[in-house]
Amino acid sequence: MRFAVGGALRRDFALYDCFDQPLRRSGRVLLRTGRDLVLLSDDSAPVSQKAEPGRGSLPAIAPGAVCDALTGLSPLRALMEHCAGRAETISVAVLDDMEKTCLRMQVITLSTRSGVATLVLMEPMRGYDRAHQRVVDALLDCEGASRGATGLWPVLLPGVQPYQSKPEVPITADEPAHGVAADLIRSSMSVFRQNEAGIIDDVDTEFLHDYRIGLRRIRSVLSLFRDVFPPEETEELQRAFSDLMAPTGRVRDLDVYLLGQSGFLALVPEALHPGLDLLFARMKTERDVAQRALARHLRSARYTARVAALEARLTDPEGLAPGPESERAALPYAQALIWKRYRKVCKLARRIDADTPDDDVHRLRIHCKKLRYLMEFFGPLFPKKKFRKILKPLKGLQDNLGLFNDYSVQQMELGRYLHPDNDAPVATDMAAAVGALLATLSRLQAGERTRVVASFAAFDNRAVRSVFEELFHQPEEARR
Amino acid sequence: MHVIACYSNKGGVGKTATSVNLAHAIARSGRQVLLCDLDPQGASSYYFRVKPSKRLSETRFFEDSDRFADAIRASDFAGLDILPANRSFRDFDRFLSRIRSKRSRLSKALVAGGAEYDVVVLDCPPNFSLLSENVFRAADRIVVPVPPSTLSERTFEQLVEFFKDQGLPRRKISAFFSMVEGRKSLHRDTMARMRAAYPKRFLAASIPYSADVERMGLRRAPVAEYAPRSKAAACYADLFAELAL
Ligand SMILES: Nc1ncnc2c1ncn2[C@@H]1O[C@H](COP(=O)(O)OP(=O)(O)O)[C@@H](O)[C@H]1O
Ligand SMILES: [Mg+2]
């Protein structure tokens, strides 16, 4: 065997994936070297196509082999550049004693500021499997070599873990409640901070969504972990996090409307679609303005300083003062909280009938949400299978209550578009469409309202009750 | 799938040179080509630097579809695979009869990267008379190199007669003049005479006698690879174009 080495081709390169790295998780790597896009896979041959110029650092992916192979990606997530640098490609042919090519390889050296990786792309030739295997074996014997494309990640981006929007925080039964709360807060803190850059760059709508989930989880920990922190401290932190949340609401609301466009269109007769299109166009403009303001806010020195201070305080083990319940063991503490909340949900829900005021239904929704949060936070303490049994009907009830709430909020918000804004007259087409939409939403809301009793009944059955009882209800003497 | 046989009942007329350069030209036009080296001497395999596989020298080779597929080797050129030379043709007969049937295991094994080959080129050995008839039936085209000599004239006449006698479609025959030396009046006269006698059987394209073709043995590659601007390369391209595959 002899190696014939061709000349080197030097180009720039970039590695793309969505933020949560679905390609990496499914054993794929999307690379661009110069104008060539290639999708590598741990278990099938690479595919390639030309990269078209796109938005910013991201190439447009026109229809083609790579486009076809980019399956299984969430429509809510966008690809983004994870790292970039220089690539040097050398073509190598493996020849036998007759100077016949038995194997072709491309040896691509990728260098970034944080690492250098050498990628060997094999192009096996029919009938020459033995030569291929020999070269693969020899290469795998080299120190640090690994098979598959995803091995690039740890080399090029050492320390970059796949992002998780809801990382599970391990809890032990006898760990003090204060420690659990602090861990949960730190974990959510890291989640929302990781999403800042993506919101600023407006990569996709999930960044803001996850940012808000992170903040909301922190606020829930602060409010639900009763007496674990001193009340003044809790109150102050609540205010701080609610201040962080405030500037994000408008963009998220508009994102939700814009993502749900086709659903809203389906709710009104086709003749009114042009009117809704006007509404969405207006929302899109509003959204982009609000997004830019939000990005400015997140980049501001004020925001950065505030978050840094919060982070420093919350990551410091001494940073959070202990409250009266801070030493309570996690398990009995969790059981008491969940049981109490469950009882509250049941008490409230059992009173609900057709004539109950909407405010009570909204209150039930809030309690269910809190119950759900508690169950999520303390989930690791309880047997998974039993947990799922009660989570499913709870989710069913929550979906019902959630829709009831969404329809009511949507009516309020969309109704605002019927009023002239800055003296600009409201287009008649749009007004007619919004009017029709409001009527449908009101009908849908009424429909959800009538289902509440039934969905609670599905939750409030003997099987669910007995699991709640078994998992969370402690005998009298165990309680304080 | 299109089957093209490079055939002549005479040796040394340029069958192998034609098979190699034609297969190469077809592959360069973007089609998937399999060149079957049916000559036990392995000349076309040699031109592509492909070793005749020892395992394949056993009998019953063409009967075993999987082994047949395993024997195929990628050439150094995109879209062109080689079935290297093999010493036994006992079962070649059967190979020819099965290659056309879509359902046979053979044609299922005859795939390049999942798809059927677009074109199969058969480089026939000399002294092939025994199996000739089956080749004529299996092939869509029979490409016959004819050096413009009196002896070739006679051989070609026999071939056409054979087709007539057996009721084989003569339009399958695409003959062309090979190793033409334009300065020789004998060549010019023979060509004129034969074109007049078989106006429909001869292609306009012809291959000159050329040192560039002779060098194939040294370079072990198709002419268009090492002498892309030569007269010979242009003539092989014309031949390919006129066959309109
Ligand atoms: N057009 C040509 N000009 C010069 N030499 C040729 C030409 N075609 C073939 N040859 C040479 O003639 C010999 C026989 O050719 P080949 O293609 O092997 O014939 P066949 O396969 O019919 O036996 C080879 O040495 C080859 O290099
Ligand atoms: Mg020959």
Side-chain angles (χ1 to χ4, degrees):
Chain A
M1 264 201 244
R2 194 172 77 76
F3 291 84
V5 180
L9 182 60
R10 286 182 190 86
R11 294 176 290 182
D12 68 321
F13 94 93
L15 182 153
Y16 308 104
D17 204 333
C18 299
F19 184 58
D20 53 344
Q21 302 171 23
L23 292 176
R24 178 189 188 179
R25 285 174 214 260
S26 59
R28 292 176 288 177
V29 171
L30 180 60
L31 280 182
R32 178 187 57 75
T33 45
R35 291 249 294 120
D36 295 323
L37 263 184
V38 56
L39 182 67
L40 308 169
S41 164
D42 283 349
D43 36 42
S44 57
V47 291
S48 56
Q49 72 180 57
K50 286 284 173 227
E52 307 291 335
R55 197 184 89 154
S57 60
L58 194 75
I61 301 175
V66 171
C67 182
D68 291 345
L70 281 175
T71 51
L73 298 182
S74 160
L76 295 176
R77 294 245 72 144
L79 291 169
M80 55 186 277
E81 187 182 287
H82 281 260
C83 72
R86 303 294 305 166
E88 186 186 81
T89 306
I90 297 171
S91 301
V92 178
V94 180
L95 307 174
D96 69 5
D97 52 355
M98 285 182 79
E99 300 277 287
K100 166 80 180 73
T101 311
C102 308
L103 175 70
R104 291 197 178 97
M105 302 186 284
Q106 280 189 62
V107 182
I108 308 174
T109 306
L110 305 169
S111 0
T112 66
R113 247 172 270 138
S114 50
V116 177
T118 302
L119 179 68
V120 183
L121 295 184
M122 300 279 180
E123 296 165 30
M125 297 176 73
R126 183 167 189 174
Y128 293 94
D129 314 332
R130 285 236 302 279
H132 178 212
Q133 200 50 55
R134 271 181 66 188
V135 174
V136 167
D137 290 345
L139 285 172
L140 285 176
D141 273 347
C142 298
E143 201 181 310
S146 67
R147 193 188 284 275
T150 45
L152 280 178
W153 276 90
V155 184
L156 290 178
L157 292 150
V160 175
Q161 293 304 315
Y163 165 79
Q164 277 183 300
S165 62
K166 281 185 185 172
E168 199 183 89
V169 179
I171 306 178
T172 52
D174 43 15
E175 153 181 23
H178 187 272
V180 177
D183 283 352
L184 284 166
I185 290 176
R186 275 193 283 271
S187 144
S188 293
M189 185 100 202
S190 139
V191 168
F192 90 75
R193 297 236 52 194
Q194 287 180 71
N195 280 286
E196 289 165 351
I199 302 172
I200 292 172
D201 294 341
D202 201 11
V203 175
D204 64 44
T205 57
E206 287 296 277
F207 286 95
L208 180 57
H209 184 45
D210 284 6
Y211 178 90
R212 286 166 55 84
I213 289 179
L215 287 180
R216 203 175 298 127
R217 276 169 73 91
I218 294 175
R219 294 175 67 190
S220 304
V221 172
L222 290 170
S223 72
L224 295 174
F225 277 65
R226 241 168 200 294
D227 297 334
V228 161
F229 308 111
E232 329 73 71
E233 179 134 14
T234 311
E235 213 171 289
E236 184 208 330
L237 286 170
Q238 280 288 20
R239 213 174 312 114
F241 283 104
S242 134
D243 287 349
L244 293 184
M245 189 71 120
T248 65
R250 190 70 191 135
V251 183
R252 179 61 194 165
D253 288 348
L254 290 163
D255 277 346
V256 172
Y257 284 116
L258 291 165
L259 288 170
Q261 280 183 62
S262 57
F264 286 110
L265 285 168
L267 295 181
V268 300
E270 216 168 309
L272 296 174
H273 285 187
L276 275 196
D277 289 339
L278 283 177
L279 172 71
F280 290 129
R282 203 169 127 185
M283 283 179 158
K284 174 81 177 103
T285 315
E286 256 180 71
R287 186 259 170 211
D288 289 345
V289 172
Q291 193 282 328
R292 278 194 293 274
L294 176 57
R296 267 197 306 279
H297 158 72
L298 292 180
R299 268 196 311 255
S300 69
R302 205 172 117 89
Y303 172 83
T304 321
R306 274 165 92 185
V307 172
L310 275 172
E311 194 166 44
R313 176 166 166 198
L314 296 174
T315 46
D316 176 2
E318 309 285 294
L320 286 163
E325 289 277 49
S326 64
E327 289 306 314
R328 260 313 268 292
L331 181 63
Y333 183 70
Q335 288 173 316
L337 285 179
I338 295 175
W339 182 248
K340 219 170 121 195
R341 189 66 59 178
Y342 169 66
R343 297 277 303 228
K344 244 185 208 149
V345 165
C346 291
K347 202 171 139 206
L348 197 57
R350 283 178 194 141
R351 278 205 328 252
I352 288 181
D353 59 25
D355 305 321
T356 318
D358 283 358
D359 278 354
D360 283 5
V361 180
H362 285 303
R363 267 178 45 222
L364 174 62
R365 184 180 63 86
I366 308 284
H367 282 302
C368 284
K369 220 164 146 176
K370 288 183 172 167
L371 176 60
R372 176 77 174 278
Y373 267 121
L374 286 171
M375 289 174 71
E376 265 178 26
F377 291 152
F378 292 110
L381 288 175
F382 300 99
K384 273 201 165 57
K385 233 174 113 188
K386 286 215 169 98
F387 224 63
R388 264 202 301 273
K389 240 189 225 155
I390 51 178
L391 257 182
K392 216 179 144 213
L394 175 60
K395 275 183 194 164
L397 176 59
Q398 280 193 289
D399 287 347
N400 175 204
L401 294 167
L403 281 175
F404 172 72
N405 183 58
D406 289 350
Y407 291 139
S408 114
V409 172
Q410 285 164 7
Q411 287 173 71
M412 230 163 59
E413 288 189 343
L414 293 173
R416 289 213 308 260
Y417 285 88
L418 290 176
H419 304 296
D421 165 50
N422 299 335
D423 298 326
V426 181
T428 17
D429 280 3
M430 191 172 106
V434 171
L437 188 55
L438 290 181
T440 310
L441 289 172
S442 154
R443 201 160 32 73
L444 288 171
Q445 188 193 356
E448 292 299 330
R449 175 68 182 79
T450 56
R451 279 183 48 217
V452 171
V453 174
S455 14
F456 177 67
F459 171 71
D460 190 33
N461 61 37
R462 186 171 305 156
V464 172
R465 266 199 303 257
S466 82
V467 175
F468 266 99
E469 184 103 21
E470 181 195 332
L471 292 182
F472 309 117
H473 192 199
Q474 308 155 70
E476 200 64 42
E477 63 269 25
R479 277 180 272 162
R480 279 204 300 188
Chain B
M1 193 175 68
H2 225 70
V3 180
I4 296 166
C6 262
Y7 175 88
S8 166
N9 33 354
K10 242 176 135 277
V13 295
K15 293 185 293 294
T16 298
T18 306
S19 304
V20 166
N21 290 300
L22 192 58
H24 181 251
I26 302 169
R28 286 233 289 208
S29 76
R31 269 161 281 191
Q32 286 289 330
V33 182
L34 177 66
L35 170 58
C36 299
D37 185 0
L38 302 178
D39 186 343
Q41 304 274 310
S44 51
S45 310
Y46 174 82
Y47 287 135
F48 284 109
R49 305 167 187 229
V50 173
K51 296 176 188 173
S53 165
K54 277 193 205 72
R55 280 183 300 157
L56 302 173
S57 57
E58 292 153 34
T59 54
R60 309 182 68 76
F61 162 62
F62 282 115
E63 233 182 349
D64 187 334
S65 306
D66 294 335
R67 290 199 18 228
F68 177 87
D70 282 350
I72 294 175
R73 298 279 178 272
S75 75
D76 283 8
F77 311 105
L80 177 53
D81 290 352
I82 314 290
L83 177 69
N86 170 264
R87 232 153 289 157
S88 157
F89 295 99
R90 202 184 300 178
D91 301 304
F92 181 57
D93 220 0
R94 234 183 298 223
F95 163 73
L96 284 175
S97 65
R98 284 183 189 173
I99 196 167
R100 315 285 348 199
S101 120
K102 278 250 182 292
R103 270 167 313 159
S104 76
R105 278 175 49 106
L106 178 65
S107 43
K108 279 178 191 141
L110 250 182
V111 290
E116 188 181 62
Y117 285 100
D118 299 312
V119 181
V120 174
V121 176
L122 306 175
D123 179 17
C124 297
N127 315 316
F128 202 41
S129 43
L130 206 79
L131 296 167
S132 301
E133 202 183 324
N134 289 323
V135 173
F136 301 153
R137 292 197 196 283
D140 301 287
R141 285 291 188 89
I142 297 123
V143 175
V144 187
V146 180
S149 68
T150 335
L151 193 58
S152 302
E153 211 173 333
R154 183 76 206 105
T155 329
F156 188 68
E157 206 176 295
Q158 283 169 354
L159 179 66
V160 176
E161 283 304 315
F162 182 82
F163 266 67
K164 247 190 223 167
D165 293 347
Q166 303 296 315
L168 290 161
R170 268 168 286 166
R171 62 183 151 70
K172 280 189 181 180
I173 299 176
S174 295
F176 68 95
F177 293 109
S178 158
M179 303 168 142
V180 175
E181 290 170 84
R183 282 170 298 131
K184 289 190 179 171
S185 60
L186 171 73
H187 277 198
R188 290 198 304 270
D189 296 347
T190 313
M191 283 164 68
R193 210 171 35 251
M194 288 185 79
R195 281 197 196 282
Y198 308 99
K200 287 188 190 155
R201 298 285 72 86
F202 275 88
L203 301 170
S206 65
I207 307 295
Y209 191 93
S210 145
D212 289 320
V213 180
E214 277 185 302
R215 275 203 293 146
M216 270 175 70
L218 227 72
R219 304 299 300 252
R220 286 181 295 160
V223 177
E225 289 291 330
Y226 61 82
R229 273 176 295 277
S230 63
K231 176 95 199 304
C235 290
Y236 281 119
D238 289 346
L239 180 71
F240 162 64
E242 200 181 352
L243 283 170
L245 297 167

